Amino acid sequence: MDAFIISLLKYTSIFICMMYSYTRLLRVKLKVWDLMDIPLFIALSAVMYFVTEYIKMLVPIGLLVFSIAFLFLRFRKTFYETVTVGTIALGLSIVSYILSFIIFSPISIPIYLIGNIVVKNYITQLSICIIQIVCIFLLFKIKRLQSGINPKSKNATFDILLYVSVICIFTMTLLYAKEVQQNYWERVVILVIALGGLVFIVWWRKHIKYTYLEAIEQQNFKRLENSFEEYKLSTAENELQLAVYSRLFHYLNKVLPACAYLTEGVAEQTGSADACAARDMLQGVLRKMNLANEKCSLRNIPQTGVSEIDVPIIQLFTAAERKNLKVSAVTSADVKSWFLDDKIQKGDIHILLSYLCDNATISALGSPNAKVRVELSATANKKPFICIYDSGEQFDEEVIAKLGVEQVTTRAGVGGSGIGLFTVFEILEKYGASFTLDETPRILGFKKSIKIAFDGRRSFIVRTFRESVVEVCAARKGITVELIDLEWKNII
């Protein structure tokens, strides 16, 4: 009977320490009614006593089995969490039990003076149980253990605690095995089974851990893929917006000075308050955009009578007045008739002329005796015909290979964007106009010309004396290449 009561005290304190450790490790908050578990622990301790009375070395394994069963039914955590954390909790309980013996040794002398052996044994076991419970309580005052543990984390603390707990449980099994008067091989079998079960818990932890980490890596990889896709979409959207804004700003750079010029003329002629207000507002916009509002002092500039067409020509002469550039313009056609049937929009021709004249001016200024010439005439079928000559260098082969297909600049490295020339080809496509790049203009002093005929043929012709141009154009469909005679080359 005495052994039974002492076993109840010992096992009950182990179960109490085990539950307290389990709840602290998983950060489960204990309630007052959890004290009702103590009678259950006493009942389990009684079962432990009778079950292990004849096979005492099964005490540690019995404690582990009963602990895991109780924790699983009581807290309803996953089986993996219950087994691994329950093993650690039991291991800590066993460690605290051993510590209680060490702490109790110095203060045990007065107790050993008691003559009644039964009372002495009861007091000794009760003291050890109290010290054990205090030890486990103080253990969780350690800062590292206060935050608990995550069974699925890759934190080394969890692994260390599990290994130590398995060693403690197995060591306790070995100690109990020495007290058992059993067949040698029976003890070996029990020890092997116990060791196998404990090793299985460790292996299971490893398996779950790496499976969990692999799943996390896959999730992170998918998240990274999704982030990368979102980044690409965002980048593509930003690039599209940038392209739209660049094109709009490029357009405004050409149109706003023309609008300011025309508005200023109307304001001077009429003196209208609204016209003057519009002029002042446009000039303010030009200042904000850092655009020059230059005026031309030249007179008798060739005019067509269509303001949208005259402004690019006037701007060309304005540039010539301020730079080392010679310009000329010929308007032999009735330009007003181009727009009578509304098949061609004035704004499109204005943009086309502005971009071509601007490119020609920049190209010509890079050469000695810079010259630009504009001709507005008609084809044999009386269709609008525009020709721009300049004295600048020929286009690079790479530029010619991409004309009208990609946004390519003729002024790489000096701020060109290719927007102007690409817009020109969009206008040509809109009206089915024909484009001719002539590297052999028969007007002295000019090295190339761009000719545009609104004839509805959609042709693309390149006249050149360079074999390299013929090669790059051969790779493209829809281009007609005319290789000139050496005689013309020498003239050029």
Side-chain angles (χ1 to χ4, degrees), residues 222-295:
K222 289 181 180 179
R223 192 178 296 114
L224 184 62
E225 276 188 330
N226 293 335
S227 300
F228 183 66
E229 290 297 327
E230 290 177 2
Y231 172 77
K232 288 199 299 184
L233 291 175
S234 177
T235 302
E237 183 179 355
N238 291 337
E239 289 178 352
L240 178 60
Q241 290 180 350
L242 181 61
V244 171
Y245 293 149
S246 298
R247 184 168 182 173
L248 177 60
F249 192 76
H250 196 272
Y251 173 79
L252 292 175
N253 277 345
K254 303 301 178 186
V255 172
L256 284 178
C259 292
Y261 176 83
L262 294 176
T263 305
E264 187 172 354
V266 173
E268 290 178 355
Q269 291 176 8
T270 64
S272 169
D274 290 341
C276 293
R279 174 199 60 195
D280 295 339
M281 291 174 67
L282 281 172
Q283 288 178 349
V285 171
L286 292 177
R287 286 193 295 271
K288 289 288 185 181
M289 296 179 66
N290 198 28
L291 295 177
N293 187 22
E294 298 174 340
K295 297 180 182 179

Side-chain angles (χ1 to χ4, degrees), residues 41-97:
F41 292 153
I42 295 173
L44 289 174
S45 299
V47 175
M48 280 284 302
Y49 174 78
F50 290 110
V51 169
T52 61
E53 179 66 22
Y54 299 102
I55 312 178
K56 209 167 184 67
M57 65 184 296
L58 289 179
V59 168
I61 300 302
L63 288 171
L64 180 62
V65 172
F66 283 147
S67 297
I68 290 174
F70 166 78
L71 294 173
F72 183 73
L73 296 173
R74 172 66 180 80
F75 296 102
R76 298 294 181 180
K77 298 292 183 180
T78 64
F79 191 63
Y80 164 73
E81 285 182 314
T82 305
V83 171
T84 53
V85 181
T87 302
I88 294 174
L90 180 60
L92 293 177
S93 181
I94 292 173
V95 169
S96 66
Y97 183 72

Side-chain angles (χ1 to χ4, degrees), residues 177-215:
K178 291 182 178 180
E179 302 177 13
V180 177
Q181 300 299 323
Q182 269 186 301
N183 182 281
Y184 172 78
W185 291 110
E186 289 180 357
R187 284 186 290 175
V188 170
V189 170
I190 293 174
L191 287 173
V192 169
I193 293 174
L195 180 61
L198 295 172
V199 170
F200 176 77
I201 293 174
V202 174
W203 173 85
W204 193 19
R205 155 64 183 171
K206 285 285 186 182
H207 174 72
I208 294 294
K209 175 183 176 181
Y210 289 124
T211 302
Y212 172 76
L213 293 178
E214 185 178 356

Side-chain angles (χ1 to χ4, degrees), residues 308-329:
E308 291 88 336
I309 308 303
D310 291 337
V311 169
I313 298 175
I314 294 171
Q315 290 175 329
L316 182 62
F317 276 84
T318 303
E321 188 177 12
R322 287 162 175 75
K323 300 173 182 177
N324 187 20
L325 176 69
K326 296 180 181 179
V327 300
S328 59

Side-chain angles (χ1 to χ4, degrees), residues 112-130:
Y112 283 110
L113 297 177
I114 299 174
N116 191 319
I117 297 177
V118 175
V119 174
K120 181 169 62 176
N121 289 339
Y122 286 164
I123 294 175
T124 299
Q125 187 61 53
L126 186 61
S127 301
I128 291 172
C129 292
I130 293 172

